[in-house]
C-alpha cells in the first residue's frame, strides 16, 4: 500500500503564493509519477501538474508559468509552488501517486487540501 501525506494550502489573496507538499510512503515502484490534481465546487477533478520519477513534468495550460512542481526522489516528496494565484485556482488539491509497471498502473490519492484564493 501507499500513503500520501499532504501539507500546505490555506487562504491567500489573489496574486499571492502558497506551497503544497506531498510525501509518499509504502510500496513505491521505481517507475512512478507524482503530482497534483484539483477539484473546484461543481467541477470535475482536473490535472494541475505531474512529474515522473525520471523528472519529466507536465502542467495544465492554466497554471503554466505560475506553478512549479519539484520532486525530491530520496524523500518521495513533491512540492507545488503556486505563485500569482487567481480566484479560479480555488479548489481542493489532491496529491496523486501513480505506480507503473509493464501492463499495469496503480493510482493512490491523498485526502486533499483546501486552497482558497480571495479577492
Amino acid at each position: 500500500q501507499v500513503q500520501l501525506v499532504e501539507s500546505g494550502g490555506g487562504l491567500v489573496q489573489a496574486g499571492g503564493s502558497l506551497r503544497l507538499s506531498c510525501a509518499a510512503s509504502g510500496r513505491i515502484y521505481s517507475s512512478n509519477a507524482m503530482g497534483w490534481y484539483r477539484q473546484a465546487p461543481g467541477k470535475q477533478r482536473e490535472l494541475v501538474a505531474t512529474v515522473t520519477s525520471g523528472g519529466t513534468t507536465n502542467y495544465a495550460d492554466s497554471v503554466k508559468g505560475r506553478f512549479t512542481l519539484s520532486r525530491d526522489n530520496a524523500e518521495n516528496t513533491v512540492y507545488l509552488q503556486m505563485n500569482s494565484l487567481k480566484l479560479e485556482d480555488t479548489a481542493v488539491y489532491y496529491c496523486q501517486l501513480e505506480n507503473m509497471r509493464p501492463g499495469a498502473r496503480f493510482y493512490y490519492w491523498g485526502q486533499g487540501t483546501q486552497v482558497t484564493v480571495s479577492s
Side-chain angles (χ1 to χ4, degrees):
Q1 265 296 2
V2 172
Q3 295 78 42
L4 300 173
V5 178
E6 301 156 339
S7 60
L11 175 64
V12 65
Q13 285 192 325
S17 299
L18 282 175
R19 191 173 89 148
L20 305 181
S21 301
C22 176
S25 61
R27 190 180 181 192
I28 301 168
Y29 292 7
S30 58
S31 179
N32 65 76
M34 290 184 69
W36 292 90
Y37 289 70
R38 67 187 181 187
Q39 187 167 18
K43 295 189 176 181
Q44 290 189 329
R45 193 172 295 189
E46 62 178 8
L47 167 75
V48 176
T50 60
V51 57
T52 68
S53 46
T56 300
T57 55
N58 181 38
Y59 291 93
D61 288 342
S62 59
V63 306
K64 284 180 181 177
R66 301 188 298 122
F67 291 10
T68 302
L69 184 64
S70 60
R71 176 171 186 152
D72 182 337
N73 281 333
E75 298 294 330
N76 290 314
T77 300
V78 291
Y79 305 94
L80 182 67
Q81 179 65 42
M82 305 184 292
N83 298 329
S84 302
L85 282 160
K86 304 176 180 180
L87 297 179
E88 52 264 41
D89 294 318
T90 295
V92 178
Y93 283 68
Y94 295 92
C95 180
Q96 185 203 66
L97 182 141
E98 178 185 3
N99 270 337
M100 308 175 192
R101 71 180 190 203
R105 298 285 187 271
F106 304 93
Y107 300 92
Y108 304 89
W109 293 93
Q111 78 281 2
T113 185
Q114 178 71 46
V115 171
T116 302
V117 183
S118 64
S119 59

